[in-house]
């Protein structure tokens, strides 16, 4: 089933004024927002707090990858900010993912905890360079299984892998897919890209979209175009 707020807008900006210029025009009941490394490093936790206060579901995308104790404490800090979702790198391993999950046990407003499998900017040649032979898909599937076994809520992957993943993971396991482009959009640094409707059809639950919206001359028109492309014909 398509989530009624499947679209997550990546707020990859340098300052809070640019964020608020866009979010002032956004309805928190129609989409979610993502705070990543750029905005968080420039502005800090107050950016998240402001967005939560405005009523947005915030995905804090800091892709934690460190020793289990450090990641557990970071995930706990993310939960204290009131975020809807946060994430780690699955390649940090099951001890790290278990520690992250345990850090959230007993919390009232528990954020969803997801794990990055293989970055959508990486193709086979990039993986080979860091010592992984073969297609991205095999690695994504292995990391998704590891993530599910560690009890996390889902993975971040390319929509190109979504239909294969849907065959091996629980239906409730969330697939969060960046690398989404409308036909005609610039690819930027992304390599494994899919259009929004095809991503949902392949089994993605959430679509992360940044530059197709933030770099558009009319970001709100771009969002409307994306949302209408997701409506059933
Ligand atoms: O601008 P674009 O739509 O490519 O933005 C994608 C967003 O998703 C960025 O904020 C990026 O950090 C994030 N992301 C990604 N690939 C992942 C996980 C997150 O591109 N595997």
């Amino acid at each position: 089933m398509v989530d009624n707020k499947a679209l997550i807008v990546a707020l990859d900006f340098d300052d809070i004024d640019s964020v608020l210029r866009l979010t002032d025009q956004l309805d928190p009941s129609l989409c979610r927002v993502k705070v990543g490394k750029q905005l968080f490093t420039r502005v800090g936790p107050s950016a998240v707090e402001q967005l939560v206060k405005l009523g947005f579901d915030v995905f804090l995308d800091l892709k934690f990858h460190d020793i289990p104790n450090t990641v557990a404490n970071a995930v706990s800090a993310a939960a204290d900010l009131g975020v809807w979702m946060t994430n780690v790198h699955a390649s940090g391993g099951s001890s790290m993912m278990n520690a992250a999950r345990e850090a959230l046990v007993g919390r009232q407003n528990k954020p969803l905890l997801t794990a990055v499998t293989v970055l959508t900017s990486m193709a086979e040649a990039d993986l080979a360079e860091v010592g992984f032979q073969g297609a991205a898909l095999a690695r994504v599937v292995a990391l998704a299984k590891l993530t599910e076994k560690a009890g996390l809520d889902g993975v971040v992957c390319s929509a190109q892998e979504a239909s294969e993943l849907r065959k091996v993971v629980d239906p409730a396991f969330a697939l969060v897919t960046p690398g989404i482009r409308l036909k005609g959009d610039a690819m930027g640094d992304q390599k494994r890209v899919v259009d929004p409707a095809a991503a949902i059809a392949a089994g993605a639950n959430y679509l992360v979209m940044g530059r197709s919206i933030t770099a558009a001359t009319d970001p709100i028109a771009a969002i409307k175009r994306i949302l209408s492309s997701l409506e059933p014909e």
Side-chain angles (χ1 to χ4, degrees):
M1 212 185 64
V2 184
D3 189 283
N4 65 352
K5 283 201 285 182
L7 179 63
I8 304 176
V9 182
L11 300 173
D12 294 327
F13 292 109
D14 281 331
D15 57 83
I16 198 70
D17 290 345
S18 307
V19 169
L20 296 177
R21 259 197 300 278
L22 179 62
T23 56
D24 273 355
Q25 303 171 72
L26 295 183
D27 178 348
S29 70
L30 292 181
C31 64
R32 296 182 159 97
V33 294
K34 182 173 89 68
V35 174
K37 290 185 169 98
Q38 180 183 349
L39 181 62
F40 195 82
T41 309
R42 290 271 179 208
V43 179
S46 70
V48 176
E49 285 162 343
Q50 288 190 59
L51 290 161
V52 170
K53 226 185 206 164
L54 288 170
F56 286 99
D57 286 348
V58 178
F59 171 17
L60 183 61
D61 176 29
L62 296 180
K63 302 184 180 71
F64 299 127
H65 190 173
D66 211 312
I67 58 171
N69 181 60
T70 301
V71 168
N73 290 333
V75 163
S76 194
D80 287 343
L81 290 173
V83 302
W84 159 77
M85 179 186 284
T86 192
N87 62 356
V88 300
H89 261 287
S91 53
S94 49
S95 318
M96 192 203 80
M97 287 196 277
N98 282 325
R101 177 183 44 75
E102 281 161 15
L104 298 176
V105 170
R107 280 189 171 265
Q108 269 199 325
N109 292 320
K110 214 158 72 151
L112 291 172
L113 184 61
T114 55
V116 177
T117 52
V118 175
L119 293 171
T120 43
S121 55
M122 294 185 92
E124 221 163 288
D126 306 287
L127 284 170
E129 208 178 52
V130 291
F132 300 112
Q133 302 307 324
L137 177 64
R139 193 161 163 74
V140 170
V141 168
L143 288 171
K145 284 182 177 167
L146 190 71
T147 303
E148 189 172 36
K149 208 166 147 211
L152 272 59
D153 301 299
V155 284
V156 182
C157 60
S158 161
Q160 287 183 6
E161 290 112 32
S163 57
E164 281 306 307
L165 283 179
R166 276 281 156 244
K167 293 179 192 162
V168 295
V169 296
D170 190 89
F173 193 69
L175 303 183
V176 182
T177 60
I180 303 292
R181 291 288 182 271
L182 288 167
K183 283 186 187 76
D185 283 348
M187 295 271 278
D189 50 0
Q190 298 284 13
K191 292 188 180 149
R192 301 185 345 266
V193 304
V194 176
D195 76 71
I200 294 288
N205 301 95
Y206 303 108
L207 310 176
V208 174
M209 295 188 72
R211 287 163 289 183
S212 293
I213 296 167
T214 54
T217 34
D218 185 347
I220 301 305
I223 290 176
K224 285 186 181 150
R225 210 148 52 92
I226 295 159
L227 293 179
S228 71
S229 83
L230 297 180
E231 277 166 15
E233 310 247 304

